[in-house]
Structure formats: structure tokens, C-alpha cells
Amino acid sequence: MATDTLNMNPLAVASTGADNAAMSTTSGGGSGKAGNNNLPAWLNAKEGPGALVGDILRQPTVRKTLPFVVIFMLLLSIAVFFTSMKPTPYRPLVLMLNDADKQLAIEALKAGEYKPEVDVNTGQISVPTSRYQEARMLLASKGLPRTEASGMDNLKDMPAMTTSQFMEQVRYNNAMEQELARSITQIGGIKSARVHLASPKQSVFVRDRATTKASVVITRLPGHTVSSANVQAIIRLVASSVPYLAPENVSVVDNFGSLMNEMLVEQPLGMTSAQLTQKQQMEDLYRTRLIQLLAPIVGEANVSAQVSMTLDFTQTEVTTEDYDAQDKGPKTRSELFVEDRNTMRDAIGIPGSLSNTPPAPTNPQATTQTNSDPLKGVSEKGTQVTARSTKNYELDRSVRHTKGAMGNITKIGVGVLINERPIPAGMKVEKPADGAAPATSIPYTAEEIERLNQLVKGAVGFNAERGDAVTVVGTKFEPQIDPTAVPWYRDENYQILVNAGVVGGIFLLVLMTIVLPMVRRLTTPPVDAAAVAAAAAAAAAADAQMAIDVATAESAAAQASAKMAKEAHEAEIARLAEESAKVAEAARVAAEEKAAAEAAAAEQERIKQEAKAALGPEAETAEIEIQEGETLEEVKARMASLKPKKQSISADLLNTANSYDDKVALIRMIVAEDSTRVAGVLKALIRPPV
């Protein structure tokens, strides 16, 4: 059957090719009538622009390139649509412009095609981010923002002949104020400044001169502070720039209305600014030391430390004098003895001028009177004697002046937080029995906390006598949240991906629902209905003829097969009959051989019995096969080693008997093994069917 079917395939293929050729010929003949059925009605018109477009679309080259053109146009439209959906990022132009300058800036940007936008709430001008720097350079070339003359530049345009002295002084003060404000603005942390000068007209007399005063208003930058040193610098700058202006007459005020001169005055309560700065620096130094010490152990992000100090800023001065510290005793350096003697005399003599005459000198060399009596005319009544003595001693003396340092540490407190260790990857965590959430970190043991505590004490110089306190605690840190993190649904990149996905989906939808059907409609060749019907009829007739041929071939094949089967059956019966005769002959021969074998076996049994009787009880357990012509002595010799062999047919012999001779030999062995069963099988084979 397989061979007959294969022989019919070439006929079928040839028939099909002929039918296709016929169909193609029919289609070609009818294409001129029904070739425009797949185009719209306005393209099938015989006149007008539709006919021209239809003729162009019917050209083979246009039909081949039209799908690619349509796909390209669709991609281009999708790209334009996607670009229009994506908003252009804008950046504000931070320029200090008034309303008039803003209008000029907008006109300049529009003329340069920068597409500026104005915020409806603040009036801020914004331009695309990609052209931000170009916009700034354009406005700078237009003179925006305008820079007005300030400071000493104002004096250049001042008229020389028509200005009064008062106006000259006012303008000079204004220029000085602006120059000082510009100088103060250069100091870090100050956003803007404004200076007011109160400079009266000075007199030529010093005692009549009026005091010059100044006030400064400053605006700090967000997040910046102005220190006392900055305030002192501003005061010195203004005082040094204005004649006859003393530093104490300069007032500095911030934009919140706070008088900043108070930062320079030591307050009676609390610490001064210098003392507070010293305390903060010391605490920061100790805190930095602790973090640097513990960071290699637990990680810099896993440790937090705070230090609180109490400093003593009391300054003590002590002056000490020590005399004879070595106990050597006093030593006399000099001695002075003075004795005063006063004599009391009465007044005697002649009253008059002579009695009032002073006494004569006692030095005889000072007068010419050598024999005069110094006591002549004097009456002595008594004498007064006064004596005094002065001794100077040398002693060892040492003077010591001691001045104590300020800022001594009187007490220190330290607090350290250690983050617990995370659980290593792959480590099994047991769930608590109470149903709580399993632990996500490994706490520190008491021994580890104590070691860290001792380490911190050694780093800060712990002293229990002055009341120092050090505390180390291990706990779990909460994860830090980045305030600048943007949620995923507000991320610009994610929004771009979503827009791209939406555009891609729209593109696929348009491609599958519109483009592909249109391309298939345009690229499908025209089909004539009559040609299709004729081709279908020819195909049906070919199929019917093929079915008849196949049926005829199958019938002939069936008859040939039946004939071959009958011949094979008869040959098989003849072969079986021949084999049965051979088997019967083999059975007869086997019967004769069996009778001879039984006689030989009886003879061997007899010899065996005689051998057993001769050998005694040792031969009862042994069995021996006696060969033909073997004597009793030979049987006895090998009786102990030989064992009887039983003939049998193995399964391998049945599987390997493929040739005729092997099968005959196998049948003979089967007949020799069991002739009765073989005879029954042969009878069953020879018996004719009922």
C-alpha cells in the first residue's frame, strides 16, 4: 500500500501545478476587469484627481515602496507627538530688574527666539535650561540689568558752577554712604548693607566741634551668622573712613532690628562670647576624638557622641614675699647713732638792742675775737639731750607673682551611642515565641559595652573625683531619610519612560489596526471572481479525478495483495507439511535412539550398582555417569570428582536459532527432550480447520 501511494504523488503534484497554471492564466485574463475592487471608490473613478492617484498606486514600484513610506510617516508623527508631550525644562533668570527693564528683556528674548515665560505670581522671567547662559549673555549685551552710577561716580556728573555748598556736602555724604555700603557687602555672610552718616558742619574751634555719628543696617545671608569680630570690623571700617568719627559713635543694626553693638559688651550674666566659643571648641575637639577612636571599631556611621564640659574662667593672681627662707639670721649692713643736746638759758643784761643781739659764733676761726667767752651774758638753767640709733640689716627676700590660667575643666560629661550590628547574610534568626517581629540586629554584650566604656574614659581623661560621667549605650539606629529624595512617581526619568511606553503602545495599536490592514490591502494582487470560480471548478474536477485514480489504484493493490497472500499461505502450508514429515522422521529416529539409550542406561545402572556395592557406604552420596566401554575400575577412579550432567535447552538457544539448519537441530533436541509433547503439537498443526 505504501509503494502504491508513493507512485501516485508525482501525478498529484503535476495535476496541482497544471491547475495553478490554469488559475494564473484565468486571473491574468480577468485582472483588467476586477483589478480595482480593493481601492476606495474615489480612487476607482475614471476621471479627476482620484484616477491619477489610483494609477500611481497601481504601479508595482509604488506598491512595493508604499508600506515603508507609510511606516516612516507614522514613526515621524509619533516622534513629533512624543516631543510635544515632553515639557521643556525652564530656568528662571535671577536678575534684579524693574518692570520697565523686564519688558525690554522679554522683547529682546523674543526677538532672539528664546521663548521666555513669565511667572504669573512673581513676574520672574524664565528661559529654557539649555539656553540659560546664552540668554544671560544676550541681556548683558543689551545693557540689562542696568548699572546705575553709585558712590563717587555720582560726583562726576555734578555741575561745578551752579551747585551750592550744602548740596555739595549732601552729595559727598551720599557718595561716602554708598561706598561704605559696597565695602561692607564684601564681608562674608552679609547680603546687603546701608550706611547713614550724620556729619554736621565742623567749627574751626576745637571746643565747638560737633560729634559725627553713623549707623549701619546689614542684611545677613540665609544660613549665615555675623560674629562679634565682623561687627568690630564694620565699626572700625566706618570710623576710619569718616573724619572726626569715633568708633563708639557707630551703631550696627541687623535686618531684624537687633542692635549688634551689644555683642561687643560683656554681659553681666552668663559667659562671654569668647568664653562660649572656647567651650564649644573644646567640646567639638573631644567629640571629634571620640568619633575618630570608635569609627574603626563600629564604623563612622554607627557611632554618635556628645560632650558637655564645665569650664572655670576665674582668673586668680597671687603675689608672695618670703624673707630669710633659709633661716641664716639677720646681718648688719650699717648703723647710725644721733644725739641732740638742747640748753635752756634765761634772758639777762641791759634791755635794749644789745640784749637782742644773736650770740657770737662758736667757731674761733670765723671771727677775729679769739678770747671771747661764748657763754658771756647767758644764764644756763638746764640741758635737754635726745639720742637715736638706726641699724640696717641684710635679709634674703623672694617675691613670687602667680597668675592662674582660665578655662580649666571642672567637670566633663560624655554620652556615646553605638549602633547595633546587622545580622550577617545567611544567618538563621529564630522567631520569638510571643509572636513579635524577629530581630534585625545583634546587640552588644555587657563585656563589649564595658570595654568601650573604658576606652572612652581613657580618651577624655575621666576623673571620678571631680564628678565626671561617661555613658556608652548600644541601641538600634533608625534609618536616615534623605529629604532631597524624590518619590518614584515624581521622578522625571520615570515619567519619561511612562510617556515613551504610552507612545509605543499607541504606535503598536495604530500599526496593527490601521497600517497593517491598509498595507495588506494595497499589496494584495487583484483577484477576478470568475477566474477564482473557474479555478475552483478545475480544482474540484482534478480532485475528483484524483480520487477516482486513487480508488482504482487501491483496488488493484488490494487484489494483488490478496493474491500474494494466498500464494504465501499455500507455500507456508507446503513448508509446514515438509517440516512435519521431517519432524516425524526425526521422531522415529529419536525413538530408536531413545530405546538404545535406555538399554545403555540400564547397563550403566547395573554397573553403577555394582560399583556402589564394591565401594561401600562412601559411594551412596555420590552419583556418577558411566560412559560406554568404561570398566568398573575407571568408574571407581573418577567417581569422587565427576557429577552427572542433565541435558537442557537454554533460552539463548531459542533466541539465536534463526537459520533453517539451526531450527531443525533445535526441533530435534526438543523431540529428544519430550517427544510426546512434540507429537501433540504436530497433530494440532496438521489438523485441518473446521
Side-chain angles (χ1 to χ4, degrees):
M1 295 295 292
T3 304
D4 297 336
T5 305
L6 288 175
N7 292 333
M8 293 301 296
N9 286 337
L11 299 176
V13 173
S15 176
T16 305
D19 296 338
N20 292 336
M23 183 177 62
S24 301
T25 303
T26 307
S27 300
S31 60
K33 298 180 180 179
N36 301 332
N37 294 335
N38 58 343
L39 295 178
W42 65 276
L43 293 178
N44 291 327
K46 297 181 179 180
E47 296 180 357
L52 179 61
V53 175
D55 293 339
I56 295 174
L57 293 178
R58 293 188 189 97
Q59 297 180 5
T61 305
V62 175
R63 287 180 176 273
K64 292 180 180 180
T65 58
L66 184 61
F68 300 101
V69 174
V70 172
I71 293 176
F72 174 76
M73 296 299 296
L74 181 61
L75 290 175
L76 183 61
S77 62
I78 292 297
V80 172
F81 177 71
F82 178 74
T83 305
S84 61
M85 286 183 59
K86 184 179 179 181
T88 303
Y90 274 75
R91 182 177 179 181
L93 290 172
V94 185
L95 300 175
M96 303 302 294
L97 301 174
N98 53 29
D99 294 339
D101 292 342
K102 286 182 179 179
Q103 180 63 29
L104 295 177
I106 292 174
E107 293 178 356
L109 292 174
K110 288 183 177 179
E113 297 182 356
Y114 284 87
K115 299 180 181 179
E117 292 184 356
V118 180
D119 194 319
V120 296
N121 297 323
T122 62
Q124 184 69 42
I125 302 176
S126 301
V127 295
T129 305
S130 59
R131 308 190 66 184
Y132 174 77
Q133 299 297 338
E134 297 179 6
R136 290 182 62 89
M137 289 186 285
L138 176 65
L139 294 180
S141 65
K142 300 293 184 180
L144 299 174
R146 298 178 180 179
T147 55
E148 298 180 356
S150 61
M152 294 300 178
D153 295 337
N154 292 332
L155 302 179
K156 297 179 181 179
D157 301 331
M158 186 175 63
M161 300 297 296
T162 60
T163 304
S164 63
Q165 185 179 4
F166 174 75
M167 290 302 299
E168 290 180 354
Q169 184 65 29
V170 169
R171 291 186 177 182
Y172 175 76
N173 290 340
N174 187 16
M176 286 294 299
E177 291 173 353
Q178 294 180 9
E179 290 292 337
L180 289 174
R182 292 170 60 182
S183 300
I184 294 172
T185 309
Q186 301 299 321
I187 300 176
I190 297 178
K191 181 180 180 181
S192 62
R194 190 172 183 182
V195 180
H196 299 278
L197 297 178
S199 179
K201 185 177 181 180
Q202 301 296 335
S203 175
V204 295
F205 300 101
V206 176
R207 64 175 178 268
D208 295 336
R209 288 180 179 175
T211 303
T212 303
K213 297 181 181 181
S215 59
V216 182
V217 179
I218 61 175
T219 301
R220 292 174 290 185
L221 289 173
H224 291 73
T225 58
V226 179
S227 62
S228 59
N230 299 132
V231 176
Q232 184 69 23
I234 293 173
I235 293 175
R236 293 294 180 181
L237 175 65
V238 176
S240 302
S241 302
V242 180
Y244 309 112
L245 178 59
E248 57 270 13
N249 293 331
V250 179
S251 301
V252 181
V253 183
D254 62 0
N255 55 331
F256 296 102
S258 301
L259 183 63
M260 305 191 72
N261 295 63
E262 296 180 354
M263 300 175 61
L264 306 178
V265 181
E266 303 295 341
Q267 300 297 329
L269 298 177
M271 295 185 296
T272 63
S273 59
Q275 293 174 355
L276 183 60
T277 302
Q278 176 67 14
K279 181 176 181 295
Q280 292 177 351
Q281 291 178 355
M282 292 290 293
E283 291 176 349
D284 293 340
L285 176 62
Y286 275 71
R287 181 168 56 252
T288 304
R289 287 180 179 178
L290 291 177
I291 294 177
Q292 291 178 351
L293 180 65
L294 298 176
I297 302 175
V298 298
E300 185 175 358
N302 296 325
V303 58
S304 177
Q306 292 295 332
V307 179
S308 177
M309 288 185 177
T310 302
L311 303 180
D312 185 11
F313 292 98
T314 304
Q315 189 175 17
T316 304
E317 296 184 6
V318 178
T319 302
T320 305
E321 293 186 4
D322 296 334
Y323 295 92
D324 194 14
Q326 299 179 0
D327 295 334
K328 293 182 178 181
K331 295 180 180 179
T332 304
R333 183 180 65 178
S334 62
E335 184 176 359
L336 176 65
F337 182 76
V338 179
E339 182 178 358
D340 295 335
R341 182 181 295 276
N342 295 325
T343 303
M344 303 295 295
R345 293 181 177 87
D346 294 336
I348 56 174
I350 300 173
S353 60
L354 296 177
S355 61
N356 294 331
T357 307
T362 58
N363 189 359
Q365 297 179 358
T367 179
T368 58
Q369 295 180 6
T370 58
N371 295 325
S372 60
D373 189 3
L375 300 178
K376 185 179 180 178
V378 178
S379 177
E380 182 177 352
K381 296 178 70 173
T383 302
Q384 182 179 2
V385 179
T386 303
R388 60 182 183 272
S389 176
T390 302
K391 290 184 178 181
N392 295 324
Y393 298 95
E394 287 290 349
L395 295 177
D396 295 336
R397 187 184 69 164
S398 60
V399 180
R400 184 182 299 107
H401 182 76
T402 305
K403 186 176 182 181
M406 296 187 301
N408 296 326
I409 300 175
T410 59
K411 186 178 180 181
I412 184 171
V414 180
V416 180
L417 287 178
I418 304 296
N419 190 16
E420 295 180 353
R421 293 164 292 189
I423 297 178
M427 181 178 178
K428 295 183 179 180
V429 180
E430 296 182 359
K431 190 174 182 180
D434 55 355
T440 58
S441 59
I442 303 176
Y444 287 91
T445 60
E447 293 78 6
E448 293 175 339
I449 294 295
E450 181 61 25
R451 287 194 305 168
L452 294 176
N453 197 355
Q454 295 297 329
L455 187 62
V456 173
K457 288 181 178 179
V460 299
F462 178 79
N463 187 359
E465 296 180 357
R466 65 186 182 188
D468 295 349
V470 175
T471 305
V472 179
V473 178
T475 183
K476 181 182 177 181
F477 288 5
E478 291 295 332
Q480 297 182 358
I481 300 176
D482 187 8
T484 61
V486 180
W488 62 270
Y489 53 86
R490 292 185 179 179
D491 190 1
E492 183 177 356
N493 297 328
Y494 178 78
Q495 294 177 358
I496 292 174
L497 292 177
V498 171
N499 293 336
V502 172
V503 172
I506 295 174
F507 171 73
L508 292 177
L509 182 62
V510 172
L511 182 65
M512 298 298 293
T513 57
I514 300 176
V515 177
L516 289 181
M518 183 175 63
V519 170
R520 290 175 182 174
R521 184 177 180 182
L522 294 175
T523 56
T524 302
V527 178
D528 191 0
V532 171
D543 292 340
Q545 184 64 33
M546 184 182 295
I548 293 172
D549 295 341
V550 170
T552 303
E554 289 180 354
S555 177
Q559 292 177 2
S561 298
K563 183 178 180 181
M564 292 175 62
K566 183 178 179 180
E567 294 176 356
H569 180 66
E570 292 176 354
E572 185 69 18
I573 291 174
R575 186 182 63 80
L576 291 176
E578 185 179 357
E579 289 182 358
S580 299
K582 293 180 179 180
V583 169
E585 181 65 23
R588 185 183 62 79
V589 174
E592 293 177 355
E593 291 178 355
K594 182 177 181 182
E598 288 178 357
E603 182 65 22
Q604 291 178 0
E605 183 66 23
R606 183 183 62 78
I607 296 172
K608 184 177 180 180
Q609 293 297 331
E610 291 178 358
K612 287 182 179 181
L615 292 175
E618 296 179 358
E620 293 180 359
T621 58
E623 293 183 357
I624 186 170
E625 184 179 356
I626 301 174
Q627 300 179 0
E628 185 177 357
E630 190 176 16
T631 62
L632 182 59
E633 288 76 7
E634 295 176 354
V635 173
K636 292 179 180 180
R638 61 183 182 85
M639 190 173 180
S641 58
L642 296 178
K643 293 184 179 179
K645 296 182 180 179
K646 186 178 181 180
Q647 297 181 355
S648 61
I649 301 173
S650 61
D652 296 336
L653 186 58
L654 296 174
N655 295 330
T656 57
N658 297 325
S659 63
Y660 179 77
D661 296 335
D662 294 339
K663 292 180 179 179
V664 172
L666 181 59
I667 292 174
R668 288 180 180 179
M669 293 175 63
I670 293 173
V671 172
E673 184 72 23
D674 193 354
S675 59
T676 306
R677 183 174 297 177
V678 174
V681 172
L682 292 177
K683 290 179 180 179
L685 292 175
I686 298 173
R687 183 178 304 167
V690 180

